Amino acid sequence: MYAIVEIAGQQFKVAKDQKVFVHRLATEEGKQVTFDNVLLLDNDGQVTIGAPAINGAAVEAKVLKHLKGDKVIVFKKKRRKGYRVKNGHRQSLTEIVIENIVASGAKKAAPKKEAKKEVAKPAAKPAAKKATTTKADDLKKIEGIGPKIASTLVEAGISTFAELAKTEPAKISEIISGVRGNHVTDTWPAQAQLAADGKWDELKKWQDELDGGKA
């Protein structure tokens, strides 16, 4: 029996006792985690396809450890300007082991209620939302942040340079995990702090040496 399930913005074909490396999860090592966005199930040749997900199906796993992937070299060059920058990047990953695949009857109600509570808490602060709307900064001025990432950060309550500067890179990576692409968030808080302080010349000089937010 195997399933195709979406985990942290990626789709995986998994079976019981299989170990999988996924984008960094917020769950602590040794804890159980359930993924209920199951797109396809194959039970001894009997295939069930979701629309888009299968109601009641889930994949249960255990977090083994958090780690970083192999280093990827990123080289950037500007022709006829003598500009060359070579950087390395290691993606934050989580190793999990698939413990069980539930075809039906999975307890999906509890996670949904928790998600609704999480959404309801910020919804109880309409004044704060209005404030961020009127005083929001253009987060796209940060090297490595595009329109999609900027809108995702705003939806998560980060709409100003000051708020971005106070956010850890790991937390930012978790927020934008659903956005496609290889996003390096290491320098985003420091860039945002310079922008919040109005040090645009210093920020511009630094950004000329950056590649997608990586120093």
Side-chain angles (χ1 to χ4, degrees):
M1 181 178 185
Y2 71 84
I4 295 179
V5 59
E6 182 175 327
I7 303 174
Q10 294 180 307
Q11 295 180 8
F12 296 89
K13 178 181 178 181
V14 298
K16 187 177 180 182
D17 299 327
Q18 178 182 348
K19 292 182 179 180
V20 183
F21 292 94
V22 302
H23 285 317
R24 179 67 60 89
L25 301 176
T27 308
E28 298 179 0
E29 294 183 3
K31 295 293 184 67
Q32 306 291 327
V33 60
T34 301
F35 307 104
D36 54 26
N37 195 9
V38 180
L39 309 177
L40 182 145
L41 275 176
D42 187 320
N43 188 3
D44 297 329
Q46 184 177 354
V47 178
T48 304
I49 300 176
I54 300 175
N55 187 27
V59 173
E60 299 172 350
K62 179 180 180 181
V63 176
L64 298 180
K65 60 181 178 180
H66 299 299
L67 68 160
K68 286 192 173 182
D70 296 334
K71 178 177 286 188
V72 177
I73 301 299
V74 181
F75 182 76
K76 186 175 182 180
K77 175 183 177 182
K78 294 183 180 179
R79 296 178 58 195
R80 296 185 294 275
K81 293 185 179 181
Y83 177 82
R84 295 186 180 187
V85 177
K86 182 179 180 181
N87 294 307
H89 170 69
R90 297 182 66 190
Q91 181 69 33
S92 297
L93 302 173
T94 297
E95 182 180 9
I96 62 175
V97 59
I98 306 302
E99 293 188 332
N100 190 26
I101 298 177
V102 181
S104 61
K107 297 180 180 180
K108 300 175 65 175
K112 285 186 177 179
K113 288 182 180 178
E114 291 178 0
K116 289 181 180 178
K117 288 180 181 178
E118 292 176 359
V119 174
K121 287 180 181 179
K125 301 177 182 178
K129 283 190 175 181
K130 290 181 180 178
T132 54
T133 302
T134 55
K135 299 181 181 180
D137 294 320
D138 186 3
L139 299 181
K140 297 191 295 297
K141 292 184 178 179
I142 303 301
E143 177 72 15
I145 296 183
K148 180 61 177 179
I149 294 179
S151 62
T152 303
L153 291 173
V154 171
E155 290 174 1
I158 302 174
S159 60
T160 66
F161 295 132
E163 293 169 345
L164 182 60
K166 296 177 182 179
T167 309
E168 294 293 331
K171 181 63 177 178
I172 298 173
S173 297
E174 180 182 339
I175 293 173
I176 66 173
S177 60
V179 182
R180 290 187 177 181
N182 185 18
H183 309 293
V184 184
T185 62
D186 297 6
T187 65
W188 291 4
Q191 290 188 64
Q193 187 62 58
L194 290 175
D197 295 339
K199 300 178 180 179
W200 297 105
D201 292 338
E202 185 177 344
L203 176 61
K204 180 69 169 59
K205 181 179 179 181
W206 188 23
Q207 287 179 338
D208 288 339
E209 303 173 358
L210 296 178
D211 179 22
K214 182 69 175 179

